[in-house]
Every structure is written in C-alpha cells, then in structure tokens.
PDB file of all heavy atoms in Angstrom:
ATOM      1  N   ILE G1463       0.820  -1.209   0.007  1.00  0.00           N
ATOM      2  CA  ILE G1463       0.002   0.002   0.013  1.00  0.00           C
ATOM      3  C   ILE G1463       0.867   1.274  -0.011  1.00  0.00           C
ATOM      4  O   ILE G1463       0.505   2.245  -0.622  1.00  0.00           O
ATOM      5  CB  ILE G1463      -0.959  -0.013   1.221  1.00  0.00           C
ATOM      6  CG1 ILE G1463      -1.887  -1.217   1.120  1.00  0.00           C
ATOM      7  CG2 ILE G1463      -1.754   1.273   1.288  1.00  0.00           C
ATOM      8  CD1 ILE G1463      -2.805  -1.377   2.317  1.00  0.00           C
ATOM      9  N   GLY G1464       2.009   1.250   0.658  1.00  0.00           N
ATOM     10  CA  GLY G1464       2.844   2.418   0.718  1.00  0.00           C
ATOM     11  C   GLY G1464       3.644   2.655  -0.537  1.00  0.00           C
ATOM     12  O   GLY G1464       3.294   2.142  -1.661  1.00  0.00           O
ATOM     13  N   GLN G1465       4.788   3.362  -0.430  1.00  0.00           N
ATOM     14  CA  GLN G1465       5.610   3.697  -1.589  1.00  0.00           C
ATOM     15  C   GLN G1465       6.215   2.443  -2.243  1.00  0.00           C
ATOM     16  O   GLN G1465       6.575   2.464  -3.416  1.00  0.00           O
ATOM     17  CB  GLN G1465       6.732   4.637  -1.170  1.00  0.00           C
ATOM     18  CG  GLN G1465       6.206   6.016  -0.783  1.00  0.00           C
ATOM     19  CD  GLN G1465       5.585   6.765  -1.911  1.00  0.00           C
ATOM     20  OE1 GLN G1465       6.008   6.689  -3.058  1.00  0.00           O
ATOM     21  NE2 GLN G1465       4.518   7.496  -1.614  1.00  0.00           N
ATOM     22  N   PHE G1466       6.248   1.343  -1.488  1.00  0.00           N
ATOM     23  CA  PHE G1466       6.846   0.135  -2.032  1.00  0.00           C
ATOM     24  C   PHE G1466       6.042  -0.387  -3.231  1.00  0.00           C
ATOM     25  O   PHE G1466       6.564  -1.174  -4.063  1.00  0.00           O
ATOM     26  CB  PHE G1466       6.955  -0.940  -0.964  1.00  0.00           C
ATOM     27  CG  PHE G1466       7.971  -2.006  -1.222  1.00  0.00           C
ATOM     28  CD1 PHE G1466       9.304  -1.793  -1.051  1.00  0.00           C
ATOM     29  CD2 PHE G1466       7.582  -3.251  -1.679  1.00  0.00           C
ATOM     30  CE1 PHE G1466      10.255  -2.766  -1.333  1.00  0.00           C
ATOM     31  CE2 PHE G1466       8.515  -4.258  -1.949  1.00  0.00           C
ATOM     32  CZ  PHE G1466       9.861  -4.007  -1.761  1.00  0.00           C
ATOM     33  N   ARG G1467       4.761   0.013  -3.321  1.00  0.00           N
ATOM     34  CA  ARG G1467       3.932  -0.494  -4.441  1.00  0.00           C
ATOM     35  C   ARG G1467       4.390   0.082  -5.765  1.00  0.00           C
ATOM     36  O   ARG G1467       4.120  -0.466  -6.830  1.00  0.00           O
ATOM     37  CB  ARG G1467       2.455  -0.135  -4.221  1.00  0.00           C
ATOM     38  CG  ARG G1467       2.140   1.333  -4.431  1.00  0.00           C
ATOM     39  CD  ARG G1467       0.666   1.606  -4.103  1.00  0.00           C
ATOM     40  NE  ARG G1467       0.259   2.952  -4.464  1.00  0.00           N
ATOM     41  CZ  ARG G1467       0.443   4.004  -3.704  1.00  0.00           C
ATOM     42  NH1 ARG G1467       1.048   3.904  -2.535  1.00  0.00           N
ATOM     43  NH2 ARG G1467       0.007   5.230  -4.120  1.00  0.00           N
ATOM     44  N   HIS G1468       5.170   1.199  -5.726  1.00  0.00           N
ATOM     45  CA  HIS G1468       5.703   1.807  -6.949  1.00  0.00           C
ATOM     46  C   HIS G1468       6.994   1.116  -7.346  1.00  0.00           C
ATOM     47  O   HIS G1468       7.552   1.406  -8.441  1.00  0.00           O
ATOM     48  CB  HIS G1468       5.974   3.310  -6.750  1.00  0.00           C
ATOM     49  CG  HIS G1468       4.730   4.074  -6.442  1.00  0.00           C
ATOM     50  ND1 HIS G1468       3.600   4.077  -7.251  1.00  0.00           N
ATOM     51  CD2 HIS G1468       4.399   4.859  -5.360  1.00  0.00           C
ATOM     52  CE1 HIS G1468       2.671   4.829  -6.715  1.00  0.00           C
ATOM     53  NE2 HIS G1468       3.138   5.349  -5.577  1.00  0.00           N
ATOM     54  N   LEU G1469       7.470   0.222  -6.463  1.00  0.00           N
ATOM     55  CA  LEU G1469       8.688  -0.534  -6.800  1.00  0.00           C
ATOM     56  C   LEU G1469       8.372  -1.953  -7.231  1.00  0.00           C
ATOM     57  O   LEU G1469       8.934  -2.465  -8.207  1.00  0.00           O
ATOM     58  CB  LEU G1469       9.603  -0.596  -5.540  1.00  0.00           C
ATOM     59  CG  LEU G1469      10.810  -1.566  -5.631  1.00  0.00           C
ATOM     60  CD1 LEU G1469      11.810  -1.039  -6.622  1.00  0.00           C
ATOM     61  CD2 LEU G1469      11.436  -1.741  -4.258  1.00  0.00           C
ATOM     62  N   ALA G1470       7.436  -2.614  -6.499  1.00  0.00           N
ATOM     63  CA  ALA G1470       7.180  -4.041  -6.740  1.00  0.00           C
ATOM     64  C   ALA G1470       5.698  -4.287  -6.902  1.00  0.00           C
ATOM     65  O   ALA G1470       4.852  -3.721  -6.218  1.00  0.00           O
ATOM     66  CB  ALA G1470       7.704  -4.826  -5.551  1.00  0.00           C
ATOM     67  N   PRO G1471       5.333  -5.210  -7.794  1.00  0.00           N
ATOM     68  CA  PRO G1471       3.905  -5.668  -7.961  1.00  0.00           C
ATOM     69  C   PRO G1471       3.557  -6.607  -6.810  1.00  0.00           C
ATOM     70  O   PRO G1471       4.424  -7.040  -6.042  1.00  0.00           O
ATOM     71  CB  PRO G1471       3.923  -6.344  -9.294  1.00  0.00           C
ATOM     72  CG  PRO G1471       5.298  -6.939  -9.391  1.00  0.00           C
ATOM     73  CD  PRO G1471       6.208  -5.918  -8.751  1.00  0.00           C
ATOM     74  N   PRO G1472       2.260  -6.926  -6.632  1.00  0.00           N
ATOM     75  CA  PRO G1472       1.873  -7.871  -5.638  1.00  0.00           C
ATOM     76  C   PRO G1472       2.637  -9.188  -5.752  1.00  0.00           C
ATOM     77  O   PRO G1472       2.956  -9.641  -6.821  1.00  0.00           O
ATOM     78  CB  PRO G1472       0.377  -8.107  -5.918  1.00  0.00           C
ATOM     79  CG  PRO G1472      -0.084  -6.824  -6.496  1.00  0.00           C
ATOM     80  CD  PRO G1472       1.077  -6.353  -7.331  1.00  0.00           C
ATOM     81  N   ALA G1473       3.004  -9.771  -4.610  1.00  0.00           N
ATOM     82  CA  ALA G1473       3.893 -10.943  -4.576  1.00  0.00           C
ATOM     83  C   ALA G1473       3.085 -12.224  -4.394  1.00  0.00           C
ATOM     84  O   ALA G1473       2.039 -12.235  -3.752  1.00  0.00           O
ATOM     85  CB  ALA G1473       4.866 -10.791  -3.433  1.00  0.00           C
ATOM     86  N   TYR G1474       3.629 -13.313  -4.957  1.00  0.00           N
ATOM     87  CA  TYR G1474       3.143 -14.627  -4.614  1.00  0.00           C
ATOM     88  C   TYR G1474       3.507 -14.882  -3.140  1.00  0.00           C
ATOM     89  O   TYR G1474       4.654 -14.650  -2.737  1.00  0.00           O
ATOM     90  CB  TYR G1474       3.773 -15.701  -5.497  1.00  0.00           C
ATOM     91  CG  TYR G1474       3.461 -15.499  -6.973  1.00  0.00           C
ATOM     92  CD1 TYR G1474       4.418 -14.968  -7.845  1.00  0.00           C
ATOM     93  CD2 TYR G1474       2.233 -15.825  -7.506  1.00  0.00           C
ATOM     94  CE1 TYR G1474       4.120 -14.778  -9.200  1.00  0.00           C
ATOM     95  CE2 TYR G1474       1.906 -15.660  -8.824  1.00  0.00           C
ATOM     96  CZ  TYR G1474       2.871 -15.131  -9.666  1.00  0.00           C
ATOM     97  OH  TYR G1474       2.578 -14.939 -10.993  1.00  0.00           O
ATOM     98  N   PHE G1475       2.569 -15.414  -2.371  1.00  0.00           N
ATOM     99  CA  PHE G1475       2.708 -15.448  -0.929  1.00  0.00           C
ATOM    100  C   PHE G1475       2.400 -16.837  -0.389  1.00  0.00           C
ATOM    101  O   PHE G1475       1.404 -17.461  -0.767  1.00  0.00           O
ATOM    102  CB  PHE G1475       1.780 -14.416  -0.329  1.00  0.00           C
ATOM    103  CG  PHE G1475       1.734 -14.358   1.185  1.00  0.00           C
ATOM    104  CD1 PHE G1475       2.858 -13.941   1.907  1.00  0.00           C
ATOM    105  CD2 PHE G1475       0.614 -14.759   1.862  1.00  0.00           C
ATOM    106  CE1 PHE G1475       2.839 -13.881   3.279  1.00  0.00           C
ATOM    107  CE2 PHE G1475       0.553 -14.693   3.254  1.00  0.00           C
ATOM    108  CZ  PHE G1475       1.671 -14.265   3.936  1.00  0.00           C
ATOM    109  N   MET G1476       3.254 -17.317   0.533  1.00  0.00           N
ATOM    110  CA  MET G1476       3.018 -18.566   1.259  1.00  0.00           C
ATOM    111  C   MET G1476       3.222 -18.319   2.727  1.00  0.00           C
ATOM    112  O   MET G1476       4.131 -17.615   3.161  1.00  0.00           O
ATOM    113  CB  MET G1476       3.993 -19.688   0.759  1.00  0.00           C
ATOM    114  CG  MET G1476       3.763 -20.089  -0.666  1.00  0.00           C
ATOM    115  SD  MET G1476       4.859 -21.496  -1.117  1.00  0.00           S
ATOM    116  CE  MET G1476       4.171 -22.731  -0.060  1.00  0.00           C
ATOM    117  N   HIS G1477       2.325 -18.910   3.527  1.00  0.00           N
ATOM    118  CA  HIS G1477       2.311 -18.712   4.962  1.00  0.00           C
ATOM    119  C   HIS G1477       2.193 -20.068   5.651  1.00  0.00           C
ATOM    120  O   HIS G1477       1.330 -20.902   5.302  1.00  0.00           O
ATOM    121  CB  HIS G1477       1.152 -17.799   5.380  1.00  0.00           C
ATOM    122  CG  HIS G1477       1.000 -17.621   6.844  1.00  0.00           C
ATOM    123  ND1 HIS G1477       1.741 -16.704   7.568  1.00  0.00           N
ATOM    124  CD2 HIS G1477       0.203 -18.240   7.747  1.00  0.00           C
ATOM    125  CE1 HIS G1477       1.381 -16.734   8.832  1.00  0.00           C
ATOM    126  NE2 HIS G1477       0.458 -17.670   8.962  1.00  0.00           N
ATOM    127  N   GLY G1478       3.051 -20.352   6.645  1.00  0.00           N
ATOM    128  CA  GLY G1478       2.994 -21.569   7.429  1.00  0.00           C
ATOM    129  C   GLY G1478       2.834 -21.209   8.920  1.00  0.00           C
ATOM    130  O   GLY G1478       3.450 -20.265   9.390  1.00  0.00           O
ATOM    131  N   GLN G1479       2.039 -22.025   9.633  1.00  0.00           N
ATOM    132  CA  GLN G1479       1.797 -21.707  11.013  1.00  0.00           C
ATOM    133  C   GLN G1479       1.671 -23.011  11.833  1.00  0.00           C
ATOM    134  O   GLN G1479       1.051 -23.951  11.426  1.00  0.00           O
ATOM    135  CB  GLN G1479       0.503 -20.904  11.124  1.00  0.00           C
ATOM    136  CG  GLN G1479       0.152 -20.384  12.478  1.00  0.00           C
ATOM    137  CD  GLN G1479      -0.975 -19.342  12.391  1.00  0.00           C
ATOM    138  OE1 GLN G1479      -0.851 -18.337  11.709  1.00  0.00           O
ATOM    139  NE2 GLN G1479      -2.047 -19.587  13.104  1.00  0.00           N
ATOM    140  N   VAL G1480       2.299 -22.997  13.007  1.00  0.00           N
ATOM    141  CA  VAL G1480       2.198 -24.110  13.958  1.00  0.00           C
ATOM    142  C   VAL G1480       1.691 -23.556  15.256  1.00  0.00           C
ATOM    143  O   VAL G1480       2.290 -22.615  15.818  1.00  0.00           O
ATOM    144  CB  VAL G1480       3.571 -24.798  14.188  1.00  0.00           C
ATOM    145  CG1 VAL G1480       3.427 -25.953  15.182  1.00  0.00           C
ATOM    146  CG2 VAL G1480       4.162 -25.307  12.864  1.00  0.00           C
ATOM    147  N   GLY G1481       0.578 -24.096  15.747  1.00  0.00           N
ATOM    148  CA  GLY G1481      -0.002 -23.544  16.977  1.00  0.00           C
ATOM    149  C   GLY G1481      -0.430 -24.617  17.933  1.00  0.00           C
ATOM    150  O   GLY G1481      -0.486 -25.819  17.600  1.00  0.00           O
ATOM    151  N   TYR G1482      -0.777 -24.195  19.135  1.00  0.00           N
ATOM    152  CA  TYR G1482      -1.328 -25.108  20.118  1.00  0.00           C
ATOM    153  C   TYR G1482      -2.547 -24.446  20.748  1.00  0.00           C
ATOM    154  O   TYR G1482      -2.470 -23.322  21.254  1.00  0.00           O
ATOM    155  CB  TYR G1482      -0.306 -25.437  21.197  1.00  0.00           C
ATOM    156  CG  TYR G1482      -0.793 -26.531  22.124  1.00  0.00           C
ATOM    157  CD1 TYR G1482      -0.640 -27.883  21.796  1.00  0.00           C
ATOM    158  CD2 TYR G1482      -1.432 -26.228  23.340  1.00  0.00           C
ATOM    159  CE1 TYR G1482      -1.125 -28.884  22.603  1.00  0.00           C
ATOM    160  CE2 TYR G1482      -1.911 -27.262  24.142  1.00  0.00           C
ATOM    161  CZ  TYR G1482      -1.739 -28.597  23.787  1.00  0.00           C
ATOM    162  OH  TYR G1482      -2.203 -29.568  24.596  1.00  0.00           O
ATOM    163  N   GLU G1483      -3.663 -25.168  20.737  1.00  0.00           N
ATOM    164  CA  GLU G1483      -4.919 -24.654  21.266  1.00  0.00           C
ATOM    165  C   GLU G1483      -4.986 -24.883  22.779  1.00  0.00           C
ATOM    166  O   GLU G1483      -5.260 -25.977  23.219  1.00  0.00           O
ATOM    167  CB  GLU G1483      -6.093 -25.292  20.550  1.00  0.00           C
ATOM    168  CG  GLU G1483      -6.178 -24.862  19.094  1.00  0.00           C
ATOM    169  CD  GLU G1483      -7.091 -25.722  18.275  1.00  0.00           C
ATOM    170  OE1 GLU G1483      -7.146 -26.968  18.543  1.00  0.00           O
ATOM    171  OE2 GLU G1483      -7.798 -25.184  17.402  1.00  0.00           O
ATOM    172  N   VAL G1484      -4.634 -23.876  23.511  1.00  0.00           N
ATOM    173  CA  VAL G1484      -4.680 -23.979  24.980  1.00  0.00           C
ATOM    174  C   VAL G1484      -6.080 -24.179  25.478  1.00  0.00           C
ATOM    175  O   VAL G1484      -6.369 -24.923  26.410  1.00  0.00           O
ATOM    176  CB  VAL G1484      -4.028 -22.716  25.616  1.00  0.00           C
ATOM    177  CG1 VAL G1484      -3.998 -22.836  27.124  1.00  0.00           C
ATOM    178  CG2 VAL G1484      -2.639 -22.472  25.064  1.00  0.00           C
ATOM    179  N   LEU G1485      -7.041 -23.467  24.827  1.00  0.00           N
ATOM    180  CA  LEU G1485      -8.449 -23.562  25.099  1.00  0.00           C
ATOM    181  C   LEU G1485      -9.167 -23.715  23.736  1.00  0.00           C
ATOM    182  O   LEU G1485      -8.580 -23.400  22.686  1.00  0.00           O
ATOM    183  CB  LEU G1485      -8.972 -22.323  25.826  1.00  0.00           C
ATOM    184  CG  LEU G1485      -8.360 -22.061  27.227  1.00  0.00           C
ATOM    185  CD1 LEU G1485      -8.789 -20.680  27.698  1.00  0.00           C
ATOM    186  CD2 LEU G1485      -8.766 -23.130  28.214  1.00  0.00           C
ATOM    187  N   PRO G1486     -10.428 -24.170  23.737  1.00  0.00           N
ATOM    188  CA  PRO G1486     -11.110 -24.291  22.471  1.00  0.00           C
ATOM    189  C   PRO G1486     -11.176 -22.986  21.660  1.00  0.00           C
ATOM    190  O   PRO G1486     -11.282 -23.008  20.418  1.00  0.00           O
ATOM    191  CB  PRO G1486     -12.545 -24.748  22.863  1.00  0.00           C
ATOM    192  CG  PRO G1486     -12.338 -25.461  24.165  1.00  0.00           C
ATOM    193  CD  PRO G1486     -11.225 -24.688  24.862  1.00  0.00           C
ATOM    194  N   TRP G1487     -11.081 -21.843  22.326  1.00  0.00           N
ATOM    195  CA  TRP G1487     -11.174 -20.560  21.633  1.00  0.00           C
ATOM    196  C   TRP G1487      -9.843 -19.757  21.628  1.00  0.00           C
ATOM    197  O   TRP G1487      -9.816 -18.642  21.142  1.00  0.00           O
ATOM    198  CB  TRP G1487     -12.261 -19.708  22.317  1.00  0.00           C
ATOM    199  CG  TRP G1487     -12.100 -19.583  23.784  1.00  0.00           C
ATOM    200  CD1 TRP G1487     -12.650 -20.397  24.722  1.00  0.00           C
ATOM    201  CD2 TRP G1487     -11.334 -18.643  24.509  1.00  0.00           C
ATOM    202  NE1 TRP G1487     -12.291 -20.036  25.986  1.00  0.00           N
ATOM    203  CE2 TRP G1487     -11.477 -18.899  25.890  1.00  0.00           C
ATOM    204  CE3 TRP G1487     -10.540 -17.526  24.145  1.00  0.00           C
ATOM    205  CZ2 TRP G1487     -10.847 -18.171  26.891  1.00  0.00           C
ATOM    206  CZ3 TRP G1487      -9.932 -16.809  25.144  1.00  0.00           C
ATOM    207  CH2 TRP G1487     -10.080 -17.112  26.468  1.00  0.00           C
ATOM    208  N   LEU G1488      -8.776 -20.324  22.189  1.00  0.00           N
ATOM    209  CA  LEU G1488      -7.514 -19.626  22.312  1.00  0.00           C
ATOM    210  C   LEU G1488      -6.355 -20.469  21.804  1.00  0.00           C
ATOM    211  O   LEU G1488      -6.169 -21.598  22.240  1.00  0.00           O
ATOM    212  CB  LEU G1488      -7.287 -19.281  23.788  1.00  0.00           C
ATOM    213  CG  LEU G1488      -5.897 -18.604  24.115  1.00  0.00           C
ATOM    214  CD1 LEU G1488      -5.784 -17.266  23.418  1.00  0.00           C
ATOM    215  CD2 LEU G1488      -5.747 -18.473  25.608  1.00  0.00           C
ATOM    216  N   GLN G1489      -5.603 -19.905  20.830  1.00  0.00           N
ATOM    217  CA  GLN G1489      -4.438 -20.599  20.275  1.00  0.00           C
ATOM    218  C   GLN G1489      -3.229 -19.706  20.300  1.00  0.00           C
ATOM    219  O   GLN G1489      -3.296 -18.506  19.960  1.00  0.00           O
ATOM    220  CB  GLN G1489      -4.726 -21.001  18.816  1.00  0.00           C
ATOM    221  CG  GLN G1489      -3.582 -21.730  18.161  1.00  0.00           C
ATOM    222  CD  GLN G1489      -3.851 -21.982  16.667  1.00  0.00           C
ATOM    223  OE1 GLN G1489      -2.907 -21.911  15.849  1.00  0.00           O
ATOM    224  NE2 GLN G1489      -5.071 -22.263  16.299  1.00  0.00           N
ATOM    225  N   LEU G1490      -2.100 -20.266  20.730  1.00  0.00           N
ATOM    226  CA  LEU G1490      -0.777 -19.597  20.636  1.00  0.00           C
ATOM    227  C   LEU G1490      -0.036 -20.234  19.463  1.00  0.00           C
ATOM    228  O   LEU G1490      -0.065 -21.449  19.290  1.00  0.00           O
ATOM    229  CB  LEU G1490       0.011 -19.802  21.916  1.00  0.00           C
ATOM    230  CG  LEU G1490      -0.677 -19.358  23.237  1.00  0.00           C
ATOM    231  CD1 LEU G1490       0.225 -19.654  24.408  1.00  0.00           C
ATOM    232  CD2 LEU G1490      -1.050 -17.892  23.182  1.00  0.00           C
ATOM    233  N   PHE G1491       0.663 -19.432  18.666  1.00  0.00           N
ATOM    234  CA  PHE G1491       1.287 -19.956  17.423  1.00  0.00           C
ATOM    235  C   PHE G1491       2.560 -19.267  17.096  1.00  0.00           C
ATOM    236  O   PHE G1491       2.860 -18.154  17.504  1.00  0.00           O
ATOM    237  CB  PHE G1491       0.276 -19.833  16.246  1.00  0.00           C
ATOM    238  CG  PHE G1491      -0.024 -18.400  15.887  1.00  0.00           C
ATOM    239  CD1 PHE G1491       0.808 -17.687  14.983  1.00  0.00           C
ATOM    240  CD2 PHE G1491      -1.157 -17.769  16.396  1.00  0.00           C
ATOM    241  CE1 PHE G1491       0.538 -16.385  14.647  1.00  0.00           C
ATOM    242  CE2 PHE G1491      -1.426 -16.431  16.024  1.00  0.00           C
ATOM    243  CZ  PHE G1491      -0.611 -15.779  15.175  1.00  0.00           C
ATOM    244  N   GLY G1492       3.336 -19.960  16.242  1.00  0.00           N
ATOM    245  CA  GLY G1492       4.524 -19.425  15.610  1.00  0.00           C
ATOM    246  C   GLY G1492       4.304 -19.550  14.099  1.00  0.00           C
ATOM    247  O   GLY G1492       3.591 -20.448  13.623  1.00  0.00           O
ATOM    248  N   GLU G1493       4.905 -18.647  13.337  1.00  0.00           N
ATOM    249  CA  GLU G1493       4.633 -18.576  11.908  1.00  0.00           C
ATOM    250  C   GLU G1493       5.849 -18.220  11.104  1.00  0.00           C
ATOM    251  O   GLU G1493       6.872 -17.749  11.628  1.00  0.00           O
ATOM    252  CB  GLU G1493       3.529 -17.522  11.632  1.00  0.00           C
ATOM    253  CG  GLU G1493       3.921 -16.133  12.021  1.00  0.00           C
ATOM    254  CD  GLU G1493       2.828 -15.102  11.803  1.00  0.00           C
ATOM    255  OE1 GLU G1493       1.814 -15.442  11.176  1.00  0.00           O
ATOM    256  OE2 GLU G1493       3.023 -13.930  12.224  1.00  0.00           O
ATOM    257  N   ALA G1494       5.776 -18.532   9.796  1.00  0.00           N
ATOM    258  CA  ALA G1494       6.832 -18.184   8.854  1.00  0.00           C
ATOM    259  C   ALA G1494       6.170 -17.799   7.535  1.00  0.00           C
ATOM    260  O   ALA G1494       5.166 -18.377   7.112  1.00  0.00           O
ATOM    261  CB  ALA G1494       7.788 -19.356   8.640  1.00  0.00           C
ATOM    262  N   ASP G1495       6.753 -16.790   6.865  1.00  0.00           N
ATOM    263  CA  ASP G1495       6.220 -16.309   5.578  1.00  0.00           C
ATOM    264  C   ASP G1495       7.297 -16.340   4.515  1.00  0.00           C
ATOM    265  O   ASP G1495       8.492 -16.189   4.786  1.00  0.00           O
ATOM    266  CB  ASP G1495       5.759 -14.835   5.734  1.00  0.00           C
ATOM    267  CG  ASP G1495       4.650 -14.665   6.716  1.00  0.00           C
ATOM    268  OD1 ASP G1495       3.777 -15.573   6.756  1.00  0.00           O
ATOM    269  OD2 ASP G1495       4.644 -13.644   7.459  1.00  0.00           O
ATOM    270  N   MET G1496       6.826 -16.561   3.258  1.00  0.00           N
ATOM    271  CA  MET G1496       7.720 -16.504   2.116  1.00  0.00           C
ATOM    272  C   MET G1496       6.933 -15.847   0.971  1.00  0.00           C
ATOM    273  O   MET G1496       5.770 -16.188   0.739  1.00  0.00           O
ATOM    274  CB  MET G1496       8.178 -17.876   1.692  1.00  0.00           C
ATOM    275  CG  MET G1496       9.066 -17.891   0.455  1.00  0.00           C
ATOM    276  SD  MET G1496      10.683 -17.124   0.727  1.00  0.00           S
ATOM    277  CE  MET G1496      11.451 -18.369   1.750  1.00  0.00           C
ATOM    278  N   ALA G1497       7.569 -14.899   0.275  1.00  0.00           N
ATOM    279  CA  ALA G1497       6.924 -14.209  -0.866  1.00  0.00           C
ATOM    280  C   ALA G1497       7.936 -14.004  -1.984  1.00  0.00           C
ATOM    281  O   ALA G1497       9.163 -14.002  -1.737  1.00  0.00           O
ATOM    282  CB  ALA G1497       6.336 -12.900  -0.436  1.00  0.00           C
ATOM    283  N   LEU G1498       7.416 -13.812  -3.204  1.00  0.00           N
ATOM    284  CA  LEU G1498       8.298 -13.600  -4.360  1.00  0.00           C
ATOM    285  C   LEU G1498       7.742 -12.472  -5.192  1.00  0.00           C
ATOM    286  O   LEU G1498       6.583 -12.544  -5.635  1.00  0.00           O
ATOM    287  CB  LEU G1498       8.406 -14.874  -5.202  1.00  0.00           C
ATOM    288  CG  LEU G1498       9.292 -14.815  -6.422  1.00  0.00           C
ATOM    289  CD1 LEU G1498      10.763 -14.537  -6.048  1.00  0.00           C
ATOM    290  CD2 LEU G1498       9.230 -16.054  -7.276  1.00  0.00           C
ATOM    291  N   THR G1499       8.551 -11.467  -5.440  1.00  0.00           N
ATOM    292  CA  THR G1499       8.135 -10.333  -6.268  1.00  0.00           C
ATOM    293  C   THR G1499       9.356  -9.828  -7.066  1.00  0.00           C
ATOM    294  O   THR G1499      10.361 -10.530  -7.188  1.00  0.00           O
ATOM    295  CB  THR G1499       7.509  -9.210  -5.434  1.00  0.00           C
ATOM    296  OG1 THR G1499       7.000  -8.191  -6.277  1.00  0.00           O
ATOM    297  CG2 THR G1499       8.512  -8.623  -4.447  1.00  0.00           C
ATOM    298  N   SER G1500       9.281  -8.613  -7.587  1.00  0.00           N
ATOM    299  CA  SER G1500      10.403  -8.064  -8.414  1.00  0.00           C
ATOM    300  C   SER G1500      10.355  -6.547  -8.374  1.00  0.00           C
ATOM    301  O   SER G1500       9.433  -5.935  -7.816  1.00  0.00           O
ATOM    302  CB  SER G1500      10.289  -8.563  -9.870  1.00  0.00           C
ATOM    303  OG  SER G1500       9.177  -7.950 -10.497  1.00  0.00           O
ATOM    304  N   THR G1501      11.325  -5.913  -8.990  1.00  0.00           N
ATOM    305  CA  THR G1501      11.401  -4.468  -9.084  1.00  0.00           C
ATOM    306  C   THR G1501      10.812  -3.946 -10.408  1.00  0.00           C
ATOM    307  O   THR G1501      11.164  -2.880 -10.885  1.00  0.00           O
ATOM    308  CB  THR G1501      12.852  -4.007  -8.922  1.00  0.00           C
ATOM    309  OG1 THR G1501      13.653  -4.585 -10.019  1.00  0.00           O
ATOM    310  CG2 THR G1501      13.459  -4.405  -7.628  1.00  0.00           C
TER     311      THR G1501
END
C-alpha cells in the first residue's frame, strides 16, 4: 500500500503456522512467511 507499491507488484505469498490450542477458543502460534516479487 505504501511507496513500495511503486517498486514491486503484488507478490506470490506462502504462509505456514504451527499452533497449540490452549483452550477451544484460544491458540498460541509461531509462523513463517515467504513471498516472491520483483522491481
């Protein structure tokens, strides 16, 4: 959305997440992201 949009087009995006549901409505998690774009 910022000035970076004038540099790079929308990127292909992948997201991975590992979590543990402490309660039926509450989850704590760790995550990792990977994207690919260009100038």
Side-chain angles (χ1 to χ4, degrees):
I1463 299 176
Q1465 293 296 322
F1466 201 77
R1467 73 183 188 277
H1468 299 302
L1469 170 70
Y1474 299 104
F1475 176 68
M1476 295 184 65
H1477 175 82
Q1479 187 167 302
V1480 180
Y1482 188 83
E1483 293 166 324
V1484 183
L1485 297 171
W1487 51 270
L1488 175 63
Q1489 180 187 142
L1490 306 178
F1491 64 85
E1493 61 182 353
D1495 297 322
M1496 178 68 72
L1498 180 64
T1499 186
S1500 69
T1501 60

